[in-house]
Amino acid sequence: MDSAKNKDTYVLIMAGGVGSRFWPKSRTDFPKQFIDILGTGRSLLQMTYDRFRGICPPENIFILSNDEYTGLIRQQLTTLPAENIVAEPSRNNTAPCIAYASFKIAGLNPDAKIIVAPSDHLILNENKFLQQIEECLAFIGSNDALVTLGIQPTRPDTGYGYINYADEAGGNLKKVRKFHEKPDLTTAEGFLEEGSYLWNAGIFIWTAGSILSALSEFSPEIYEIFEKGLPYYNEESEADFIKLNYPLTPNISIDYAVMEHAKNVYTLPGNFGWSDLGTWASLYEVLPKDDCGNTFSGCQINLTKTTNCVIQLPNNKSAVVKGLSNYIIVDDGEFLLIYPKSDEQEVKNISKCFSKMTESV
C-alpha cells in the first residue's frame, strides 16, 4: 500500500489503559501496551504503530494516552512528533479522548478519515487486516457511516462484547442491528449458533465529520465542552484549554456515548488472526507451546506432570513446577501470581486490591 496516497487518513492509537487483567506484569506505572509481552523485541504499542505506518503517512498517526505515559511513549516511539501525543489529564474513558482527538484532527484536515484502534491487540495477518481497513475507508468515503470492525467468533467467549448485524449494506459491510454486552456462556453459545454475531474489537473507521456529528447528536455534553476549544486546537494554548476542560467531561465509552444510539453504524466481519490479548489465557492461545501444552519464558524451567499452563518468569529466574494443569504462573520479581486459568477474570480485582494495599503502605 502506498501510504502517501492516503494523506487524508489519520490513525488514533489508544494507549491509556492500565491492563489490569495482565497483573502482575502489567502495572499502572508500566501497563501492558509498553511491554514486549510476546517476546518479539517490540512492545505492543510499537507493533501497533509499525502496523499503521503501512496505511497512512507516519505524521498522521496520533497516540491517545494519559499524561503519565507521555514519557514512555516518547521512549518507545522516538520518531513520533511530540504534538502527536494527545495526552489526557484525567481518565474519562474512550468517548472524551476520541472527541478531543477528532476535533484536533478536524482542525488539521476537515476531510480527514479517522481510524481508531487499541494499542494492545495482536494481528497475525497484517496484510489482510490492512486490506479490510482500506475497504472500510472506501465505504466511509461515499457513505455517512460509523464503521466498526467485527471479528468472526471462533468460540462462545464470555469475555467479549458482541455485534449483531443484518445482511443489508454495501459490499462486504453489514448494517449493525445491536451491540450486546459480555454475555453468559449460554447466551454466547446461542450467538455462535445463530451466526450473525461478531466479537466487538473496538476498532472504528469514520470521517471526522461523521463522528463529530454523532457526538453532537448523542453526546452533546462532551461535544459542547470540546467545541469551546476550536480556537485553541493545534495552537500553544491547546494544553491549557484541555487541562482545564477535559476533567469536566463524563466518564463514558464511545460505545455507550455514540455507537449504541446511532443508526448509521456498519460492521465488516474480519478474520485476520486477531486477539485483544486481554488476559493471560488469551496470551496463552497465541504463544508457542511444548508437547504438554505449556508456554513459558524464563531462565530455566523444570516441568513435571504439568500441562496447559502459561508460565512467565524473569530472565534471571528458574523454577520447578509439578502437578499443575491449566494454571497461570507469573513472577515479575516483586509479585508472584499462581492462579487457575478458569478464574482469570478475577485477576483484575486482585490487581486493584494490591494497588490499594500498596498505596496504604
Side-chain angles (χ1 to χ4, degrees):
M1 284 171 203
D2 184 357
S3 62
K5 294 181 180 178
N6 292 335
K7 61 181 179 62
D8 290 335
T9 298
Y10 292 75
V11 177
L12 307 180
I13 299 176
M14 295 184 291
V18 298
S20 56
R21 289 181 294 172
F22 260 105
W23 185 88
K25 204 159 189 175
S26 176
R27 308 281 190 84
T28 300
D29 59 348
F30 200 85
K32 69 170 180 172
Q33 60 266 30
F34 301 106
I35 299 172
D36 175 19
I37 206 161
L38 295 169
T40 64
R42 302 285 280 172
S43 72
L44 294 174
L45 171 63
Q46 289 170 321
M47 292 174 66
T48 303
Y49 179 76
D50 294 344
R51 181 180 306 134
F52 283 109
R53 284 171 63 93
I55 206 159
C56 72
E59 62 269 21
N60 286 12
I61 301 176
F62 288 74
I63 310 299
L64 278 54
S65 192
N66 190 269
D67 271 342
E68 67 178 296
Y69 301 139
T70 299
L72 285 171
I73 295 168
R74 287 176 175 169
Q75 288 175 22
Q76 295 203 351
L77 302 177
T78 56
T79 62
L80 185 78
E83 60 269 22
N84 284 34
I85 300 175
V86 181
E88 319 149 2
S90 60
R91 297 183 187 279
N92 290 19
N93 217 313
T94 56
C97 73
I98 288 173
Y100 167 26
S102 298
F103 270 103
K104 181 178 176 69
I105 288 175
L108 295 171
N109 184 350
D111 298 322
K113 298 177 180 179
I114 298 175
I115 302 163
V116 181
S119 60
D120 52 3
H121 288 187
L122 173 67
I123 306 292
L124 294 177
N125 190 337
E126 294 198 352
N127 287 336
K128 188 171 183 180
F129 170 75
L130 293 178
Q131 288 171 6
Q132 294 195 313
I133 290 287
E134 289 279 16
E135 186 172 354
C136 294
L137 289 171
F139 186 78
I140 64 168
S142 55
N143 296 274
D144 177 20
L146 307 175
V147 176
T148 178
L149 277 187
I151 307 299
Q152 294 282 4
T154 57
R155 59 188 181 276
D157 201 300
T158 60
Y160 299 135
Y162 284 73
I163 302 167
N164 178 220
Y165 65 86
D167 282 335
E168 69 269 14
N172 294 320
L173 281 97
K174 313 292 183 182
K175 188 77 164 57
V176 171
R177 286 176 176 156
K178 189 176 181 181
F179 290 89
H180 293 265
E181 291 300 303
K182 297 174 183 178
D184 57 31
L185 181 59
T186 300
T187 303
E189 289 172 341
F191 288 168
L192 202 65
E193 183 177 353
E194 202 276 339
S196 60
Y197 288 82
L198 304 169
W199 288 335
N200 187 355
I203 302 172
F204 308 105
I205 304 95
W206 44 50
T207 64
S210 290
I211 188 58
L212 291 177
S213 175
L215 284 162
S216 175
E217 182 176 358
F218 301 111
S219 193
E221 181 180 1
I222 291 176
Y223 181 88
E224 289 166 8
I225 288 173
F226 289 112
E227 186 184 31
K228 295 175 184 176
L230 286 173
Y232 310 111
Y233 296 126
N234 307 303
E235 303 289 343
E236 288 187 7
S237 52
E238 178 182 330
D240 289 337
F241 170 81
I242 289 300
K243 185 177 181 180
L244 181 64
N245 289 276
Y246 194 96
L248 303 177
T249 61
N251 187 323
I252 187 172
S253 71
I254 195 68
D255 297 86
Y256 281 127
V258 171
M259 302 300 282
E260 294 187 0
H261 306 288
K263 304 301 182 185
N264 59 334
V265 180
Y266 294 81
T267 187
L268 178 63
N271 184 13
F272 35 77
W274 173 88
S275 173
D276 73 340
L277 295 180
T279 63
W280 285 111
S282 63
L283 177 64
Y284 169 84
E285 293 296 329
V286 302
L287 290 177
K289 303 168 186 66
D290 67 11
D291 293 341
C292 294
N294 300 302
T295 179
F296 52 82
S297 66
C299 180
Q300 186 176 350
I301 301 177
N302 185 299
L303 303 177
T304 305
K305 296 182 180 178
T306 294
T307 59
N308 303 320
C309 290
V310 52
I311 304 167
Q312 296 249 332
L313 308 178
N315 290 331
N316 63 348
K317 183 164 287 191
S318 301
V320 178
V321 181
K322 180 178 180 179
L324 289 183
S325 180
N326 292 298
Y327 262 75
I328 303 162
I329 304 170
V330 181
D331 184 348
D332 80 326
E334 183 179 358
F335 289 99
L336 172 64
L337 174 72
I338 304 174
Y339 221 76
K341 279 197 298 183
S342 59
D343 296 330
E344 65 167 356
Q345 297 295 334
E346 298 173 3
V347 171
K348 182 175 183 178
N349 292 329
I350 295 170
S351 71
K352 291 179 180 177
C353 176
F354 270 96
S355 295
K356 291 178 181 178
M357 290 172 59
T358 302
E359 292 170 0
S360 64
V361 173

